[in-house]
Amino acid sequence: MSRGRLQARLTRLEQGTPEARRLGAEVLALVDEYLADGGDPAELLEMFGLAENAEEVKPA
């Protein structure tokens, strides 16, 4: 995913409905918890479609 596309997604999230903003906050809190527990940030890249080959990665 390009940096511009990611920024557009983040902007939509920040300007979304209150429900969307709450969901976004929950997701970020879970990511923070995952990282605090020693999770590998590289594993999140594919999950969030940020890997170089994100279009080729199939969901588990």
Side-chain angles (χ1 to χ4, degrees):
M1 174 182 300
S2 72
R3 184 173 280 242
R5 188 170 170 205
L6 175 60
Q7 185 58 49
R9 282 184 171 187
L10 292 172
T11 298
R12 284 194 306 272
L13 180 61
E14 290 170 353
Q15 296 174 354
T17 64
E19 184 176 285
R21 290 193 303 263
R22 281 192 299 274
L23 178 60
E26 284 183 48
V27 169
L28 292 177
L30 289 170
V31 168
D32 288 343
E33 183 179 330
Y34 171 79
L35 296 173
D37 289 342
D40 182 1
E43 290 182 5
L44 296 176
L45 294 177
E46 290 182 11
M47 183 184 306
F48 285 99
L50 300 173
E52 296 261 340
N53 62 344
E55 280 70 35
E56 299 172 17
V57 175
K58 304 282 189 250

